[in-house]
Amino acid sequence: MIKLKLAIWFVSQIIFLCLFIPFNGFTQQAVWEEVAPGVWRGIVGVPEKPDFLSVAEPDVKKEALQRMPVVRIPEQPGQMVAAMHDRSVYLRFPLQREEQLFGFGLNFKTIHQRGKVLTLHVDHYGGRDNGRTHAPVPFFVSNSGYGVFINSARYLKVWAGTAVRKDSENPPVVYDRNTDREWTSRPYSDAVEILVPAEGVEVYLFAGPTPLDVVRRYNLFMGGGCLPPRWGLGFTHRVHSLYSDDDVRNEVKAFNERGFPLDFIGLEPGWQSASYPCTFEWSPERYPEPAKFVADMLDQGVRLNLWINPYVSPESPVYEKIKKYTGSHTVWNGIVPDFFMDEADEILKEQFVRSQVDIGISGYKIDEVDGYDHWLWPDVATFPSGISAEQMRQTYGLKIQKFLDELYREKNQRTYGLVRASNAGASPLPFVLYNDYYDHKDFITALCNSGFSGILWTPEARGSRTAEEWLRRMQSVCFSPMAMINAWSSGTKPWSFPEVADAVRDITHLRMQLMPYFYSEFAKYHFEGTPPFRAMYLEPQFNHSLEKVRGSSSLEENPYAEAITREIKDQYMAGENLLVAPMFAGQENRMVVLPEGRWYDFYTGEFAGEGEVITVEPGLEKIPVFVKDGGIVPMMKPLLRSPKAGEKVDIEIRHYGTKAGNYLLYDDDGETFDYEKGAYSWRKVAVERKESGEFLRNISPAERGKPDNIGAITWKQMTNQ
Ligand code: GAL
């Protein structure tokens, strides 16, 4: 049987080689095959394993893709040419003038990627957008409405519209530096060129028509976005590393007494008997009775998330067993499990399940799987599975997310955790990226960028120099995929700055109030592939504005055109209806670019502007948030814990503006994977306007036999007519 499979594989590879593309130096166009609705694959040479898809093993959401607009292969990237040189694949994709590119993973400083030279390489972000980052996803999106994914777990080199070929059909103008002011050190380039250091690669094209559709297709192709448990969208606090069980109990008590919401607590390295390298065993001093401690916490409705890194200490009970399934090099004196070996998975699984998951631990934070180079395994490391160190580096974070996700799937229990490295194919994995870098503005740009690449990002709050900064960071965190304080070193509490403690409490309450909205938006990530947090460039109305201003004769006459064609990286969409424009320490006012259509203030319902740039001065207590005309936002009261499965919660449905509105409110048990078998419902919310101006409001009834957590409904018309 195995021989037969091998023979089939061998023949198919020869066919690929003969049919599809290049022999040494010879350049050819690709043959594309539609592998899912609106998704095409081209194969160049002989692709190798592992690649991202073989690691992520996506459960392609074909039906959801089928429901999207019927499209033809995007013509422009379809003209990709490929060549083989020097045992590498060279790829070239044509670009049009004015075309802008987004994506290439978790960038922190820029959203526009045209003009970049990148080496996509998993690493801790080092302060420059050069491709070395926590999730250097080899996927880019064009504002012309197509996307390209390179399915290779190698360090890819990308010239995103920088390189100029002498045979270019759209060559740059030649200027004389001596006399022409137009001379530039970066002449116009009409292509994206990519070097894949392998003898073959799969390339995937994603159709639009809009850039948001492209991203949706990518996410659906990867299996749909993750749907966290409801509690994952509540508030979380990571305590000081050396806290004991009693310290944690006191912390929870203090949260309760002060009225701060708290759904889960993160224990940092000190929960283990030794860490860096890790034992994966509880510290007998700090946590003498872990099962009892975890049970006590769960009784109070507080879940626990454990910090780990994967590097195994000689003191760990699994050390001897796992040794032969680890790499040649150590990381902080710990041996490095080869997650491509089933044996390594089994050994760790047994330990994690017995000592942690089975006593009620709800999730993990997977640290240090990104870099830096000085401490991670080098590229000359070897692994027993035969996977190269480079491929291991590119996929390690992804692989551990899969490993942990499966642990919880087996228990039919959803998890939601953190990870410091990820890559392509991560959309369905319930982990949020974070890092040690701490620039508030750049954290927001990362949040914008995360939406292009099927990843989630939290601008975690750790500490601050001033009360103002603390509040501003907390405001941003509450409008992100994970509302979190990471006090592992600072020991900060939400109320650490008394001057702003009430305002911090208010914003954490608002986070809880928005749970029905955010939960529904995550469900749309899962079922429709729409990223819950995303850059303005994925907002169709924003792109309409871009279209309009493009023909604009003079930017001076039309300052909106200037603002909108600039890189907008400090405001973003949180779900379908909310535009969030964070404030940063030292700022009293800021500009907000409102896309086409009328927009309303989230807090008051007042008209804020229409397709224009406004300046807002929200005061310290508020983070500016705007709602689109007709926008519906379902909210609940500010519970201190997220609703449990079956717990009925009253909902207030807000409607903003003057237009009619529709909204899909999602419901399921909030904890298990039963939604994957149909145990969920969408309640259709509609606000219509009669000719008399009166509003008619309706919500469809809960479906029979489906989870129903929605109690009484009240309506709130936010905008005075
Ligand atoms: C860092 C991580 C921090 C914290 C710390 C604990 O690497 O980014 O969030 O967990 O380790 O030692």
Side-chain angles (χ1 to χ4, degrees):
M1 188 63 195
I2 289 179
K3 272 192 189 151
L4 182 68
K5 273 192 184 163
L6 260 178
I8 293 174
W9 179 83
F10 193 68
V11 171
S12 69
Q13 298 305 312
I14 291 182
I15 293 174
F16 281 144
L17 268 177
C18 301
L19 282 182
F20 300 155
I21 320 240
F23 300 96
N24 257 345
F26 186 60
T27 304
Q28 209 174 307
Q29 285 204 318
V31 177
W32 300 102
E33 179 199 357
E34 189 166 13
V35 288
V39 185
W40 287 262
R41 179 179 58 199
I43 297 173
V44 180
V46 184
E48 55 175 11
K49 295 273 183 289
D51 54 23
F52 291 121
L53 295 181
S54 70
V55 175
E57 299 176 304
D59 169 19
V60 179
K61 293 282 175 282
K62 283 207 171 150
E63 280 173 26
L65 285 164
Q66 202 87 56
R67 286 193 293 272
M68 293 188 67
V70 178
V71 276
R72 300 222 328 245
I73 182 164
E75 224 172 274
Q76 193 184 317
Q79 292 162 13
M80 173 192 92
V81 287
M84 299 275 294
H85 288 285
D86 195 20
R87 298 215 198 126
S88 298
V89 177
Y90 296 3
L91 300 172
R92 192 164 87 248
F93 302 88
L95 287 177
Q96 300 297 320
R97 268 178 208 280
E98 304 242 325
E99 191 175 348
Q100 191 47 266
L101 305 175
F102 308 109
F104 291 119
L106 194 65
N107 287 300
F108 285 79
K109 290 190 182 289
T110 48
I111 289 187
H112 290 170
Q113 300 305 319
R114 187 164 182 174
K116 292 284 188 55
V117 179
L118 306 165
T119 300
L120 302 180
H121 186 309
V122 168
D123 202 348
H124 194 287
Y125 183 67
R128 286 175 53 211
D129 284 4
N130 57 10
R132 282 192 172 245
T133 182
H134 308 267
V137 182
F139 174 59
F140 67 91
V141 181
S142 159
N143 64 350
S144 304
Y146 67 84
V148 176
F149 164 52
I150 314 293
N151 183 25
S152 165
R154 292 281 174 187
Y155 303 147
L156 305 186
K157 287 197 186 146
V158 179
W159 293 266
T162 58
V164 183
R165 285 180 66 95
K166 68 178 181 189
D167 56 2
S168 161
E169 283 173 15
N170 303 294
V173 180
V174 181
Y175 292 109
D176 176 359
R177 189 173 191 176
N178 296 326
T179 52
D180 295 333
R181 287 176 62 200
E182 289 86 353
W183 185 94
T184 162
S185 59
R186 297 181 174 204
Y188 175 76
S189 154
D190 65 353
V192 178
E193 301 199 65
I194 299 180
L195 188 154
V196 183
E199 296 191 12
V201 69
E202 288 179 350
V203 179
Y204 289 80
L205 305 183
F206 294 82
T210 67
L212 181 59
D213 291 326
V214 172
V215 170
R216 288 183 52 207
R217 278 186 214 274
Y218 170 86
N219 287 329
L220 290 171
F221 186 72
M222 296 305 177
C226 79
L227 179 59
R230 271 204 182 85
W231 57 260
L233 299 181
F235 195 81
T236 181
H237 185 73
R238 305 198 70 84
V239 296
H240 191 278
S241 198
L242 291 179
Y243 263 26
S244 67
D245 52 3
D246 281 341
D247 296 328
V248 177
R249 286 192 170 98
N250 289 335
E251 195 92 323
V252 172
K253 205 163 150 231
F255 267 75
N256 292 343
E257 284 168 1
R258 291 167 186 263
F260 281 83
L262 182 63
D263 262 299
F264 58 114
I265 284 248
L267 304 185
E268 288 287 318
W271 72 270
Q272 296 186 52
S273 52
S275 66
Y276 282 51
C278 294
T279 59
F280 310 117
E281 271 295 333
W282 293 86
S283 153
E285 291 84 38
R286 289 181 288 275
Y287 297 89
E289 294 177 294
K292 179 167 185 321
F293 166 67
V294 178
D296 285 355
M297 289 290 113
L298 288 175
D299 274 353
Q300 298 188 49
V302 177
R303 291 176 166 79
L304 290 162
N305 172 292
L306 297 181
W307 175 100
I308 53 162
N309 70 36
Y311 314 118
V312 185
S313 160
E315 288 171 38
S316 170
V318 299
Y319 183 84
E320 288 304 330
K321 274 183 278 178
I322 205 167
K323 205 168 170 187
K324 60 173 180 269
Y325 309 113
T326 59
S328 56
H329 288 64
T330 58
V331 177
W332 287 304
N333 298 322
I335 47 177
V336 180
D338 182 342
F339 282 89
F340 287 84
M341 304 287 296
D342 290 345
E343 294 87 343
D345 285 28
E346 279 307 313
I347 293 165
L348 285 172
K349 181 174 165 187
E350 197 278 325
Q351 175 69 15
F352 282 29
V353 169
R354 184 185 44 74
S355 136
Q356 299 135 44
V357 180
D358 274 357
I359 64 168
I361 289 301
S362 299
Y364 290 88
K365 163 175 170 177
I366 314 163
D367 204 20
E368 313 288 2
V369 283
D370 42 5
Y372 292 108
D373 283 358
H374 338 276
W375 55 70
L376 218 74
W377 62 83
D379 286 349
V380 294
T382 55
F383 288 87
S385 61
I387 308 272
S388 72
E390 174 180 353
Q391 290 164 314
M392 193 64 90
R393 177 97 173 238
Q394 297 293 69
T395 58
Y396 207 62
L398 194 63
K399 195 79 182 155
I400 303 186
Q401 290 176 67
K402 282 286 281 186
F403 165 75
L404 289 173
D405 182 52
E406 268 155 32
L407 267 182
Y408 281 97
R409 277 180 174 273
E410 280 179 18
K411 292 182 80 81
N412 194 21
Q413 184 187 328
R414 274 184 254 170
T415 182
Y416 197 46
L418 292 147
V419 68
R420 232 175 59 185
S422 193
N423 222 318
S427 318
L429 296 168
F431 292 88
V432 181
L433 286 147
Y434 66 96
N435 71 2
D436 285 346
Y437 184 75
Y438 201 50
D439 186 292
H440 187 185
K441 273 197 175 165
D442 291 356
F443 270 16
I444 299 304
T445 303
L447 189 53
C448 296
N449 278 325
S450 62
F452 291 116
S453 296
I455 49 178
L456 300 169
W457 164 258
T458 172
E460 65 173 35
R462 294 203 285 270
S464 287
R465 283 176 299 270
T466 63
E468 181 203 6
E469 183 193 337
W470 182 243
L471 179 54
R472 291 309 191 196
R473 284 183 181 274
M474 289 297 289
Q475 289 170 341
S476 298
V477 142
C478 288
F479 280 89
S480 84
M482 192 178 276
M484 171 172 81
I485 295 177
N486 179 9
W488 75 276
S489 149
S490 60
T492 326
K493 326 274 180 223
W495 52 86
S496 281
F497 294 89
E499 317 88 290
V500 295
D502 287 342
V504 169
R505 189 194 296 108
D506 289 349
I507 194 73
T508 59
H509 282 191
L510 180 57
R511 167 75 180 198
M512 296 308 283
Q513 287 179 277
L514 283 166
M515 187 165 290
Y517 174 74
F518 281 137
Y519 195 56
S520 299
E521 294 306 312
F522 266 94
K524 290 167 198 171
Y525 188 33
H526 176 72
F527 289 98
E528 295 165 10
T530 309
F533 295 89
R534 53 188 187 262
M536 297 310 302
Y537 298 92
L538 289 180
E539 178 63 15
Q541 277 72 27
F542 190 74
N543 289 321
H544 290 163
S545 311
L546 279 174
E547 288 303 315
K548 273 202 177 159
V549 299
R550 225 166 240 142
S552 172
S553 51
S554 145
L555 291 183
E556 268 158 35
E557 276 167 29
N558 182 358
Y560 179 63
E562 190 178 356
I564 204 165
T565 45
R566 236 181 38 208
E567 194 177 42
I568 305 297
K569 54 183 184 178
D570 59 355
Q571 61 178 75
Y572 56 94
M573 293 302 297
E576 194 177 319
N577 291 327
L578 301 183
L579 186 164
V580 183
M583 300 289 293
F584 305 102
Q587 253 184 355
E588 275 176 13
N589 53 47
R590 63 159 290 167
M591 294 203 325
V592 183
V593 181
L594 297 175
E596 266 206 340
R598 294 165 72 83
W599 291 81
Y600 295 84
D601 182 285
F602 168 76
Y603 304 94
T604 64
E606 276 166 30
F607 175 69
E610 177 175 5
E612 62 189 298
V613 182
I614 56 170
T615 299
V616 291
E617 197 174 329
L620 192 56
E621 260 88 63
K622 291 215 166 88
I623 171 169
V625 180
F626 303 93
V627 189
K628 49 172 86 139
D629 200 2
I632 287 173
V633 185
M635 297 178 64
M636 66 176 201
K637 58 175 190 256
L639 301 175
L640 298 188
R641 307 277 184 268
S642 60
K644 292 198 268 301
E647 182 180 335
K648 289 242 190 254
V649 175
D650 296 348
I651 304 273
E652 176 187 278
I653 301 180
R654 294 186 175 188
H655 173 261
Y656 288 80
T658 55
K659 275 199 351 202
N662 290 297
Y663 190 78
L664 288 172
L665 177 62
Y666 179 76
D667 197 8
D668 67 9
D669 65 26
E671 289 175 15
T672 73
F673 289 97
D674 293 356
Y675 68 92
E676 291 185 347
K677 297 181 215 111
Y680 65 87
S681 66
W682 292 103
R683 306 269 304 261
K684 294 193 183 79
V685 180
V687 176
E688 280 172 46
R689 214 159 173 205
K690 290 207 288 197
E691 267 180 28
S692 61
E694 204 188 319
F695 283 103
L696 282 180
R697 307 174 174 113
N698 187 49
I699 176 164
S700 61
E703 278 177 64
R704 259 222 209 143
K706 296 288 168 79
D708 178 14
N709 299 281
I710 298 173
I713 307 269
T714 50
W715 300 84
K716 193 161 181 184
Q717 192 60 45
M718 291 299 292
T719 305
N720 289 330
Q721 304 305 315

